[in-house]
Amino acid sequence: MAIVEVIKYNGGPDVFAWKYPSEELGTWTQLVVNESQEAILVKGGKVYDVFGSGRHTLDTANIPLLINVVKLPFGGRSPFTAEVWYINKAYNLDVKWGTPTPIQLQDPKYGIFVPVRSNGAFGIRISDSRKFLVKLVGTMSSFDKNSVTKYFRSLYVTKVKDSISSYLVHKQISILEINAYIDELSQYMKERIQPTMDDYGIELVSFYVNEISVPEDDSAVQQLKNALAKRAEMNIIGYSYQQERSFDTLEGAAKNSGSTASSVAGASMGIGMGLGMGNAVGAGFGGMAQEIKTSTDEASKKECPKCHSLIPSTQRFCGVCGCDTEATKKQENILKCSACGGTINKSTKFCPECGRRINHCKSCGADIPEGSTSCPNCNEDVPISCPHCGAAVSPKVKFCPECGGTLSKNCPKCNAPIEGSPKFCPECGEKLQ
């Protein structure tokens, strides 16, 4: 056979390893390697050298190992038999994968077994040409994407099954909810498959799960979806499964109420229904009884006329201030003028005894003495007029809530700040009113 002059790659774009057809080589043969490739020279099943991108001349000066391979000179050229392998080191990101048969998994949330199918794609790159050729390619003439899918099928099927199962258990989610976690699951599978691929000189660039599905015609899947749809309907309407069964029982008993046997059967079913619904109905009536008791307790309480605390209606003396509610009740309609002690009522404007104008308390109606800051009967604060806007405000505040003006004033004699409406200055005794 003729000695090959130039060797270059003639394989397809999806081929990871390709062997040059001829093995009759010679020194000075030109070996052309592209940027995304590496060439490996193999003699007798042993790797002699790995060539990077560029044009290489097979010469004993460049390849010292050829001295032991080439023995006989032929006109300055030495023929020898060897294999030249081209390894494609470009990224290939569209290697399809899928589970050939459904994987039986137990749903951790609902406990039923469902068949699961999954598919996607992964991307690889040959990171170690020598290891890839020796461990995986062997004596094959070429190694393409289909070969990768075939060789690693058992690996990714096992890893996919184990990853999905452990992920569902770890997250405690249903298989019907797994598609919401596809991104996380893809990264999780990539981390678990990568170490095995490294052993064969392959870098797993990416691993994507495109879909995780369950067959719609599977009986277990149909039952689960029907149960979830029923539960959603109950949540929307607002009743439980036990209540629905009770309604069905009552409806059936009502439809068959014409016959004696049906009446007896209906009564028996009613008794069974009562026993079965004991907990649910008991809990419901218990809640209603508690609400009725709470509202009854609140309605049976009364307010202390002095400190306004809530006390039982049967209790005479207030436990907070000691007020005699019975005595106060008898006297609440008997009011007196704070100046002369004349009898008045809540509608009296002037005292019939002394003619003084009555200053009624807004809370209890009692007459408030002039200059007092609170009612002597119920301790209600007596509002004062804001000197700026005239609004009625509490004497305890320092600023008017209507206009924001200050309510404090100064003594005209000692300039001490005066709060409220006292008749004399607390510092010097100067008369203020």
Side-chain angles (χ1 to χ4, degrees):
M1 296 179 67
I3 298 176
V4 179
E5 299 289 341
V6 179
I7 300 175
K8 62 180 181 178
Y9 179 77
N10 293 321
D14 294 333
V15 176
F16 294 102
W18 179 80
K19 184 175 73 171
Y20 190 76
S22 178
E23 298 181 4
E24 298 296 328
L25 309 179
T27 54
W28 301 349
T29 296
Q30 299 296 306
L31 179 64
V32 180
V33 183
N34 294 329
E35 285 287 346
S36 60
Q37 299 173 341
E38 282 186 350
I40 300 179
L41 185 65
V42 179
K43 173 67 175 176
K46 182 178 180 180
V47 176
Y48 274 84
D49 207 349
V50 179
F51 300 90
S53 60
R55 180 181 287 268
H56 306 274
T57 301
L58 301 183
D59 190 0
T60 56
N62 296 331
I63 311 174
L65 293 176
L66 288 179
I67 298 175
N68 297 326
V69 176
V70 181
K71 299 295 184 182
L72 299 176
F74 290 84
R77 301 185 63 188
S78 301
F80 61 94
T81 302
E83 299 175 1
V84 175
W85 282 89
Y86 279 92
I87 306 298
N88 185 3
K89 302 198 69 175
Y91 289 93
N92 196 315
L93 305 178
D94 193 31
V95 183
K96 304 294 184 181
W97 67 268
T99 53
T101 58
I103 304 172
Q104 292 292 331
L105 296 178
Q106 185 178 17
D107 192 301
K109 192 171 183 179
Y110 302 107
I112 66 173
F113 285 89
V114 291
V116 178
R117 289 183 179 273
S118 184
N119 62 75
F122 60 88
I124 62 174
R125 186 183 74 89
I126 308 303
S127 58
D128 192 327
S129 301
R130 184 190 297 264
K131 184 187 295 185
F132 174 70
L133 182 65
V134 173
K135 284 192 171 185
L136 198 60
V137 179
T139 59
M140 298 174 62
S141 60
S142 65
F143 197 92
D144 55 9
K145 287 201 304 185
N146 294 331
S147 301
V148 172
T149 306
K150 177 182 177 181
Y151 271 62
F152 291 99
R153 178 174 297 164
S154 60
L155 169 66
Y156 64 70
V157 169
T158 302
K159 294 296 184 181
V160 165
K161 178 179 179 180
D162 181 61
S163 299
I164 294 178
S165 300
S166 59
Y167 199 84
L168 291 176
V169 173
H170 179 69
K171 293 288 186 178
Q172 284 298 305
I173 57 177
S174 171
I175 191 64
L176 301 179
E177 305 169 353
I178 190 63
N179 282 309
Y181 301 85
I182 280 185
D183 287 342
E184 298 179 15
L185 192 58
S186 299
Q187 183 63 28
Y188 184 71
M189 290 185 184
K190 179 179 180 294
E191 294 174 355
R192 304 195 65 168
I193 298 176
Q194 177 64 61
T196 305
M197 304 287 275
D198 289 339
D199 294 339
Y200 296 95
I202 302 176
E203 177 188 357
L204 186 62
V205 180
S206 61
F207 191 93
Y208 297 108
V209 180
N210 293 341
E211 182 185 16
I212 299 176
S213 60
V214 293
E216 295 293 335
D217 56 350
D218 184 77
S219 59
V221 176
Q222 290 179 352
Q223 291 178 1
L224 177 58
K225 289 188 175 182
N226 291 337
L228 293 177
K230 192 65 176 178
R231 187 178 70 175
E233 178 185 356
M234 291 180 180
N235 290 337
I236 294 174
I237 298 176
Y239 62 89
S240 65
Y241 176 77
Q242 290 181 342
Q243 291 173 328
E244 183 191 21
R245 296 298 299 159
S246 302
F247 299 153
D248 294 340
T249 303
L250 290 173
E251 183 180 3
K255 289 181 179 180
N256 299 326
S257 60
S259 65
T260 306
S262 299
S263 300
V264 175
S268 300
M269 293 174 65
I271 295 174
M273 174 201 66
L275 294 175
M277 289 185 60
N279 292 334
V281 176
F285 278 106
M288 294 173 58
Q290 182 64 31
E291 293 179 0
I292 295 173
K293 181 178 181 303
T294 302
S295 60
T296 304
D297 291 344
E298 292 180 355
S300 63
K301 290 185 178 181
K302 63 182 180 180
E303 183 179 353
C304 174
K306 186 174 182 180
C307 65
H308 306 289
S309 301
L310 290 178
I311 60 175
S313 59
T314 57
Q315 183 174 317
R316 177 174 178 177
F317 295 92
C318 175
V320 178
C321 65
C323 174
D324 186 353
T325 58
E326 295 295 332
T328 304
K329 184 176 180 181
K330 295 177 182 178
Q331 297 176 3
E332 63 180 358
N333 294 325
I334 303 175
L335 304 178
K336 294 184 178 182
C337 173
S338 60
C340 66
T343 302
I344 60 174
N345 55 40
K346 292 183 178 181
S347 61
T348 303
K349 295 184 179 180
F350 295 93
C351 176
E353 300 294 334
C354 64
R356 173 182 165 275
R357 184 179 182 86
I358 303 300
N359 184 19
H360 289 286
C361 173
K362 293 183 179 181
S363 178
C364 65
D367 181 29
I368 301 175
E370 295 182 4
S372 296
T373 58
S374 62
C375 175
N377 186 39
C378 65
N379 294 324
E380 183 75 15
D381 291 335
V382 178
I384 60 174
S385 297
C386 173
H388 305 284
C389 65
V393 296
S394 173
K396 295 181 180 180
V397 299
K398 295 183 178 180
F399 298 92
C400 176
E402 298 294 332
C403 66
T406 179
L407 300 179
S408 61
K409 56 185 179 179
N410 297 331
C411 174
K413 183 177 181 181
C414 65
N415 201 32
I418 304 298
E419 295 183 0
S421 303
K423 293 183 178 181
F424 299 93
C425 175
E427 297 294 332
C428 64
E430 178 71 13
K431 187 176 182 179
L432 303 176
Q433 296 182 357

